[in-house]
Amino acid sequence: MGKSQKKRAMRRHNPMRVPDSHLPTGLASASTSSSKAEDILPILQKMEAVDAGDRKWACIAVSNLIQNDPSTRRLLQGKNVVGALITRLTDGEEEVVAEATGALRNLCIDGGYDLCAEMYNKNIMASIKEFLPKISTTLSQYLENPKSAPENVKTMVHAFADNVITILWCLSETSNKALSSINDLELIPFLMSFLASRASIPLSTVTSAAQCLYVLTDDNPPASRKVKGSPEYVEHLLSIAQSGVTQLNGKGKQAAEDPSTTLAILSVGILKNISPLPTSSLDIDKDLVVPLLVPVISSVSLPEAAALAAHHTLNPDTDVPMDKTPAAKGAPKDHKTPAELALDALEAKLRATHLALEILIGVCATLPDPSPQGAAEETAENDEDEDEAMMGDDDDEGAPPANEDEAEDEDEDIIEDGTTEEAQAAASALLPGMVQHLLALIHPTELSFPPFGGPSPCPPITVALSSIHVSAMQCLNNIFFSLAASNNSTLSQDRQSGRHLWEEVWRCLGSVGTTYGAGQERREEVWSNGVGVLWGLGMVWKGTLAGDEEKVQVLIQYCEATSDHTNRVKAIGTLECLAQHPTSISLNQTISLFLLTILQSLSAGPEPVIQAASAMIDIYSDEAQPYDVNFRQGKYLDKLLASFDNVKKAVRAFDRKTVEGRQVRKRGELVKENMLEFLKYRRDLRV
């Protein structure tokens, strides 16, 4: 509990571009809040028109209407625009089909999971499946004979391929059912053909293919095995990644702003997904990931990005020099103003930074995921009669229980199965150098979150900024859990650095604030990950970080307010570390009394109860500590004896039918057994 650094869940690598959770639900509210409600009906009518020009116009209009406008997107969705556009995918006119595909692609990106699920349920895959061989055949003809088609035709085919690939990318993250259907398409050769021909295909289309490959190879064995099993595919990916590293070394900040850097980042991400590579001796993290991604995340200044976005939003008619707008180089302008193109370029740079952070999250997690075999092992429950016997009078001298460090060692035996100490030490050596770069990315800017009660003045930039804050916090969380596990004595003795990092994270959380609500979900995510960072810092500098009453109360209030059991565990773990500062006797008492309230009731949830029990054992395993006076004077032994039944109930509450349930239950059994030994030991001390 609290030890697993990587939790697999279906997630958006490209989150909903313009969130709509701040809006009331229902068609009526969408009609009221949309300024374009009167345009909807004529568009839908023209989509069924006899004239192909009208149908094409209607598809284009959908893309234009939803631009940064979640209200209109909701209204269109309520009027079955998805079904109407899917119908147009079988239109007899190729231009109508192309524009319908583009509109669906934009809806995928802007609409998130629900809209993608609607597309899948309305059988968009039937049309997509028909498009793939046609795209492959047409592109092959053009690549073999570049002069065989007019430039405008090739441009249309490239854009069409880009749209189809992006739809597949978004659908693959919608559900396991959609992912299974996409796996059945045998898509890997199709996507790799774009990377292989990258010199002859527009960068945006190649990048979309790489993005789709990145998503498909993430914890998806059918796809990752296909890529890993082809030396040719691996060679293409290595070539792109290595050229990206060379480019960054040569140009620094300018290269980080180059759109081609995103392709290199994605290639590194794919290689990370399929590593270890069977045909290469490269250390992916040391030789590719860190040299490429750290310069990317260090090249961006979020305050400058927010200020630039605010300027262009407030001054949309400002003339922007086109040669300083990367998105304008060779990209379709779609009649956008220079300010709009500058905002697009800024968004692309921020999303590249977020993508780099997303890959680094895994690099920072040097603790591997629990093995299914180890997690699947059943732990026999102790017979309750035996528990009662152990709790009874016993004149045998009790042995000191394993303290929390030892309990963590037992837990790490589960987690680190198959990982050598040398491999973990090598990985941990890469981590401290990233910390300062990550700290610069956690602090919110004026555009990081939307104002309360309304949308952001520049929603895409706000989403990109908040995504960066969350991912940077996730990286820091993983780094400090990894460093805590590595027992780096040199680091833990640097108390000044520990205190600086502690205050820096608290400063960030103070700026984010504790007011959440509709539209403010990212604030809550920053806090969730931030408390994890505090716990990691507490473990690295355990006993040396002195808390204060205000921060302790904030953590207690957070633990009581959050409904997420994982967040409660993080807060309890952080409090546990603060309680072990030798001279903080008053704070130790405040924390221990709070932990006892959790143990005395099951309302906090089974995992927090187990964590609170583990914390009390760890805090009071050494009776020589100055704060042990609280244990004796507060009669904590009696209170812990009275709460032991709740600990047993908490252990039994975990579902043994699931892998996660068995894993957490095993951890709970260890804590329960340790608590028995602890109680015997403290009772026999008779102090």
Side-chain angles (χ1 to χ4, degrees), residues 7-23:
K7 290 188 176 180
R8 174 60 184 170
M10 299 303 291
R11 69 187 192 279
R12 298 282 295 177
H13 292 273
N14 183 17
M16 185 186 290
R17 188 168 179 267
V18 185
D20 57 10
S21 59
H22 63 283
L23 296 173

Side-chain angles (χ1 to χ4, degrees), residues 186-462:
E186 295 290 337
L187 202 57
I188 302 305
F190 173 79
L191 295 172
M192 283 302 310
S193 68
F194 288 87
L195 274 66
S197 304
R198 57 190 178 278
S200 305
I201 296 176
L203 176 61
S204 60
T205 306
V206 178
T207 302
S208 294
Q211 177 72 73
C212 193
L213 274 168
Y214 171 55
V215 173
L216 287 177
T217 54
D218 183 11
D219 199 23
N220 181 28
S224 56
R225 280 197 299 262
K226 191 80 173 179
V227 176
K228 189 173 184 176
S230 170
E232 182 183 0
Y233 294 168
V234 173
E235 188 58 38
H236 283 307
L237 293 166
L238 284 171
S239 176
I240 296 170
Q242 288 168 334
S243 66
V245 173
T246 302
Q247 182 185 23
L248 282 178
N249 288 337
K251 297 183 181 178
K253 248 186 178 182
Q254 292 179 357
E257 295 176 355
D258 193 319
S260 65
T261 301
T262 299
L263 178 60
I265 295 171
L266 288 165
S267 298
V268 164
I270 298 165
L271 290 167
K272 181 69 178 172
N273 286 345
I274 66 172
S275 61
L277 303 181
T279 58
S280 175
S281 59
L282 277 177
D283 182 324
I284 296 294
D285 290 348
K286 181 180 177 181
D287 298 331
L288 289 179
V289 176
V290 172
L292 178 67
L293 302 190
V294 171
V296 170
I297 67 170
S298 63
S299 70
V300 64
S301 167
L302 298 191
E304 288 180 11
L308 186 61
H311 171 76
H312 288 312
T313 302
L314 294 174
N315 304 281
D317 298 326
T318 301
D319 188 24
V320 180
M322 297 304 293
D323 58 348
K324 294 185 179 180
T325 309
K329 296 179 181 179
K333 299 178 177 56
D334 294 330
H335 308 292
K336 291 185 177 181
T337 66
E340 289 172 331
L341 290 169
L343 285 172
D344 286 348
L346 180 59
E347 181 187 356
K349 180 180 178 181
L350 293 175
R351 291 204 178 277
T353 303
H354 177 242
L355 176 63
L357 288 169
E358 186 178 74
I359 298 167
L360 285 173
I361 288 170
V363 176
C364 296
T366 61
L367 303 181
D369 289 326
S371 66
Q373 291 180 348
E377 293 176 359
E378 291 290 347
T379 302
E381 283 191 72
N382 290 336
D383 185 87
E384 293 196 15
D385 292 337
E386 182 181 349
D387 289 342
E388 298 294 340
M390 294 183 72
M391 296 295 290
D393 291 335
D394 189 340
D395 293 331
D396 292 340
E397 183 178 358
N403 61 24
E404 178 62 1
D405 290 338
E406 294 168 345
E408 286 177 8
D409 289 342
E410 292 178 354
D411 196 34
E412 303 301 0
D413 288 340
I414 304 170
I415 294 174
E416 296 184 356
D417 184 29
T419 300
T420 65
E421 291 183 4
E422 292 81 3
Q424 184 182 330
S428 296
L430 296 173
L431 302 182
M434 300 183 199
V435 171
Q436 289 303 319
H437 300 307
L438 293 167
L439 283 175
L441 299 178
I442 65 174
H443 294 287
T445 70
E446 59 183 4
L447 277 180
S448 291
F449 308 104
F452 290 96
S456 163
C458 189
I461 299 298
T462 291

